Amino acid sequence: MVCLSVRCEYAEDDKVGDCGFILHWISRCCTPIVLLNGLGPVITGPPHLYWKNKKERPRKISNSESTRKQNSSAPSRRRHTLRHNLNSETSPETTTIYRLNISLFDIKGERIEEEQTHTYRGEGEREREMDFELRRAREKLEKEQRERKEKAKLKLERERKAKQEAARQREAIEAAQRTRRLDAAEAQLKADQQMAETLLAGDGIMFYRILEAVSYQGPGDKVKLPPSCFTELSDQGAFDRGPMYFRLSVVHGDGPSDETSQKGSVGMTHCGVLEFTAEEGSVALPPHVWNNLFHSDAPHARLIEVKYARLPKGTYAKLQPEGIGFSDLPNHKAVLETSLRQHATLSQDDIITVRHGELMYNVRVLELKPAASVSVLETDIEVDIVNPDFASDKADQSILKPLTFGISETGLVEEGRYMYYKFSVDNETSGRIASGEARIEVKLEAETDAGDTDLYISKHPLIFPTRHQHQWSSHDVGSKALILGCKDQSLGLGTYSVAVYGFKGNTKYNILVAFQSNLDRKVGQQAMSSTSDADVDSVQCRNCKHYIPNRSVALHEVYCVRHNVICQHAGCGVVLRVEEAKNHVHCDKCGKAFQQTEMEKHMKVFHEPLHCPCGVVLEKEAMVQHQSSDCPMRMITCRFCGDVVQAGSTPMDARDRLRGLSEHESICGSRTAPCDSCGRSVMLKEMDIHQIAVHQKN
């Protein structure tokens, strides 16, 4: 059996309301039920209600006297028993708040109490609450309607934007498709045009390859192609049409260059072919072609386009050296002709490297006729060389400054560097020198005490004399002079170069080339032998070995022994003052006599090993002899082409060695030329024998 105990207390003690709804709720939810009133035994029947009035005594709602007396003794807590059908006299407008305590007892008698708070409102309050709820509901409905309208408007806006974006995308796709179609049509048209131009340029031969460029060391402009190119060209009969030429152009990221590309914006040149031995997929380029195609900032993986081309023979070329000094070369046109023999083609804006011994000059092709690219094989070309652009000259460019006889020039030379000058000897001057009437004197005076210089002179074709490659030199400390006279067999008509070398420190100097006449020399200035000085009244001094008159020989010997000393070095015998003998020394290697201050320079100049470009290491005097007669890299004037070239090593042909020909002359003399008498083609080196043997001409 479960028992229920209900107690109801007012939350507001000054108001009493109808509690029937609570009893009604209890009767509906808990019937049948047993309620306890807390004062007596268990009562079955209608439920009872209990409440608490804190401030005022509650009105009487029960006719039980015992209950009223009992509640009067506890003013803070009043209990009243309400029947189920009790009617409240509270106003309908009154709102009463009850605290309802419900206690449940299980069979074992354990109590479970729960406290709940309930509010009872009157009719007016309920109407106001209903109006408030209706207003809130209406506002909520209006708000929801506004939100739905906003959402609908945003949805329409999104749909409109989506339609516009879709239209733009369709237009972009259509434009891209149109562009691709136009590009494809243009590419096809361009390919057809290139094929037609290639066929026209190749005279009916179609050859086109894209190959990887590799470099190899070789002269000229002839490249090496793979063997498959030989097969393709041979099948089209290209070898039957004479020399083959190819157009080379750099392949960029956007594809091969077209025929109308400017050389300034894309690398392009022409070349010949040397052999077909390169690896498949590659083409070997010599330095000349490589430098004209690629710049220093070009990528490592270099692809070039190779096309077969037919070139006309050149008739005119306008060239410009990139630096000054090229015109100083003796017979520079012959030097240029020799360099062009190694080329098969020339293209406008190409740079040709011309070598003259150890010197290199860059020459730019400004203009060609009859086309921008021509062949230089088996043709005569008129060459016009214009002056270089001085604004582009390099500061360290070696140049020859002209010297005028009798006019001094001032300069400054740094340690280890050269300053070069030149002067010329004409026919009249050369004749006077050869007859002994005149001589040439070159003076070099140093204005700086802390520095020192050396003086070197050479005759062209040796343009730039050096420490170990010259014909005349002076290594005196301080001022120095060189006298060139009739005793010098190599002195004659021609151009001479003068080099001032900074031996020590930065030195300021004055250099002068003077032409002196021997007729103005003072009489009696020539050297005389000791035997010519002796006469019948003279006696030789035992100390200095000079001849002294008999009357004063005794006094001379006493004075000479006291103040003069004879050098005891073998072969020297120089009479020195006592104070000068301390500075007089001899070289341990060559035995030459010098002042003590000159010994250091002598050892460095004459006995320091020098390296020849051919690999030989010799001292100065031996090096000068080696480079004038034995060095394969010495410069000679070819007797057949007239060019100044390297002599080379010993020729292979024994007959050429007997003729005294160098390696270059042996090769150059193998060219043929028609005989002036009979018109037969004869080798140049055998032309003299042909003239004697066939035509009896000496």
Side-chain angles (χ1 to χ4, degrees), residues 84-133:
H84 183 66
N85 56 355
L86 182 63
N87 293 326
S88 174
E89 298 179 359
T90 307
S91 172
E93 303 297 331
T94 305
T95 299
T96 306
I97 300 176
Y98 300 94
R99 182 180 294 110
L100 182 63
N101 294 333
I102 302 175
S103 300
L104 297 178
F105 297 87
D106 56 4
I107 299 176
K108 296 180 180 181
E110 296 180 358
R111 179 181 176 181
I112 303 174
E113 182 176 352
E114 296 183 359
E115 182 175 345
Q116 299 180 2
T117 303
H118 299 272
T119 303
Y120 172 77
R121 294 179 176 84
E123 293 296 333
E125 184 69 20
R126 285 195 295 271
E127 291 178 359
R128 287 193 296 273
E129 184 177 358
M130 290 178 62
D131 294 340
F132 177 74
E133 293 294 335

Side-chain angles (χ1 to χ4, degrees), residues 214-224 284-291:
V214 297
S215 63
Y216 81 96
Q217 295 300 320
D221 63 344
K222 296 181 180 180
V223 302
K224 298 179 181 180
L285 308 179
H288 167 77
V289 180
W290 184 278
N291 295 331

Side-chain angles (χ1 to χ4, degrees), residues 402-648:
L403 289 175
T404 305
F405 284 98
I407 299 178
S408 176
E409 294 287 342
T410 303
L412 177 66
V413 62
E414 300 177 359
E415 182 176 349
R417 304 292 296 271
Y418 291 90
M419 295 296 293
Y420 292 103
Y421 300 87
K422 67 177 180 179
F423 65 91
S424 300
V425 177
D426 54 15
N427 289 326
E428 181 182 358
T429 305
S430 176
R432 295 184 62 183
I433 293 175
S435 62
E437 297 180 2
R439 61 177 182 173
I440 296 176
E441 183 178 7
V442 182
K443 294 182 179 181
L444 180 64
E445 296 181 357
E447 296 183 1
T448 306
D449 297 336
D452 193 14
T453 58
D454 289 335
L455 181 63
Y456 303 99
I457 301 177
S458 66
K459 185 179 180 181
H460 290 192
L462 181 56
I463 303 175
F464 298 106
T466 59
R467 296 173 57 192
H468 54 275
Q469 196 172 12
H470 55 267
Q471 291 174 285
W472 299 275
S473 64
S474 176
H475 305 279
D476 297 337
V477 177
S479 299
K480 49 190 67 67
L482 284 175
I483 298 177
L484 310 180
C486 59
K487 294 183 180 180
D488 298 311
Q489 298 180 358
S490 58
L491 184 63
L493 179 65
T495 304
Y496 297 81
S497 296
V498 180
V500 179
Y501 175 71
F503 179 79
K504 180 181 180 182
N506 299 336
T507 308
K508 188 176 181 181
Y509 61 88
N510 292 324
I511 186 169
L512 173 65
V513 177
F515 183 76
Q516 297 180 353
S517 176
N518 291 333
L519 299 179
D520 297 335
R521 297 175 60 186
K522 296 181 180 180
V523 179
Q525 197 175 2
Q526 66 275 13
M528 295 182 299
S529 61
S530 60
T531 57
S532 62
D533 294 336
D535 53 31
V536 294
D537 295 332
S538 300
V539 179
Q540 186 179 24
C541 177
R542 290 175 293 181
N543 185 48
C544 64
K545 307 303 181 183
H546 289 174
Y547 285 90
I548 308 300
N550 290 329
R551 62 181 178 274
S552 60
V553 66
L555 295 176
H556 170 78
E557 289 182 351
V558 173
Y559 180 86
C560 185
V561 171
R562 184 183 303 172
H563 294 88
N564 296 331
V565 177
I566 299 178
C567 179
Q568 300 300 322
H569 190 275
C572 181
V574 177
V575 180
L576 302 169
R577 304 289 290 181
V578 175
E579 58 272 11
E580 295 177 354
K582 298 179 180 179
N583 294 327
H584 182 78
V585 294
H586 286 266
C587 178
D588 296 335
K589 294 185 176 181
C590 62
K592 294 182 179 180
F594 300 96
Q595 295 291 329
Q596 184 69 37
T597 56
E598 298 177 344
M599 181 55 66
E600 180 182 359
K601 182 177 182 179
H602 169 77
M603 295 299 295
K604 186 174 183 179
V605 172
F606 288 91
H607 300 295
E608 186 177 88
L610 300 176
H611 296 266
C612 182
C614 66
V616 177
V617 180
L618 298 171
E619 292 185 356
K620 177 183 177 297
E621 293 183 351
M623 180 64 71
V624 172
Q625 179 65 28
H626 165 75
Q627 292 197 346
S628 62
S629 59
D630 302 329
C631 180
M633 300 184 69
R634 70 185 186 277
M635 304 303 295
I636 63 171
T637 302
C638 178
R639 67 184 71 179
F640 301 113
C641 64
D643 189 11
V644 179
V645 295
Q646 292 182 358

Side-chain angles (χ1 to χ4, degrees), residues 241-450:
R241 302 186 180 218
M244 291 182 295
Y245 309 105
F246 298 90
R247 179 184 182 273
L248 307 180
S249 58
V250 179
V251 177
H252 296 278
D254 52 354
S257 60
D258 54 7
E259 295 288 342
T260 61
S261 298
Q262 298 295 328
K263 187 175 178 62
S265 60
V266 59
M268 188 275 293
T269 188
H270 289 76
C271 67
V273 59
L274 179 64
E275 55 190 26
F276 295 88
T277 58
E279 296 183 1
E280 290 295 335
S282 64
V283 54
L285 308 179
H288 167 77
V289 180
W290 184 278
N291 295 331
N292 284 307
L293 280 178
F294 303 110
H295 302 288
S296 59
D297 56 349
H300 295 289
R302 300 175 172 93
L303 298 179
I304 62 173
E305 179 187 62
V306 183
K307 288 184 179 180
Y308 179 86
R310 299 293 296 175
L311 299 179
K313 291 185 177 181
T315 59
Y316 173 79
K318 185 177 181 180
L319 309 178
Q320 181 186 38
E322 290 194 341
I324 58 179
F326 180 74
S327 59
D328 293 330
L329 296 177
N331 198 5
H332 56 273
K333 288 191 175 182
V335 175
L336 181 62
E337 181 182 353
T338 302
S339 178
L340 289 179
R341 287 192 190 129
Q342 301 173 346
H343 291 257
T345 65
L346 277 183
S347 296
Q348 191 169 320
D349 291 333
D350 272 359
I351 296 179
I352 306 171
T353 301
V354 179
R355 296 180 179 272
H356 183 76
E358 298 181 0
L359 304 176
M360 292 188 301
Y361 298 92
N362 292 330
V363 180
R364 181 177 295 274
V365 181
L366 298 181
E367 184 181 355
L368 293 171
K369 291 180 182 180
S373 298
V374 298
S375 169
V376 296
L377 296 179
E378 300 178 357
T379 182
D380 293 331
I381 300 179
E382 180 185 355
V383 178
D384 186 11
I385 300 177
V386 299
N387 293 328
D389 185 6
F390 291 94
S392 62
D393 292 339
K394 298 180 181 179
D396 56 350
Q397 181 80 20
S398 297
I399 60 175
L400 296 176
K401 299 179 181 180
L403 289 175
T404 305
F405 284 98
I407 299 178
S408 176
E409 294 287 342
T410 303
L412 177 66
V413 62
E414 300 177 359
E415 182 176 349
R417 304 292 296 271
Y418 291 90
M419 295 296 293
Y420 292 103
Y421 300 87
K422 67 177 180 179
F423 65 91
S424 300
V425 177
D426 54 15
N427 289 326
E428 181 182 358
T429 305
S430 176
R432 295 184 62 183
I433 293 175
S435 62
E437 297 180 2
R439 61 177 182 173
I440 296 176
E441 183 178 7
V442 182
K443 294 182 179 181
L444 180 64
E445 296 181 357
E447 296 183 1
T448 306
D449 297 336

Side-chain angles (χ1 to χ4, degrees), residues 656-673:
D656 293 341
R657 292 197 296 269
L658 292 176
R659 293 191 186 103
L661 301 181
S662 63
E663 182 182 16
H664 169 82
E665 291 175 331
S666 176
I667 298 173
C668 185
S670 298
R671 296 182 292 116
T672 61

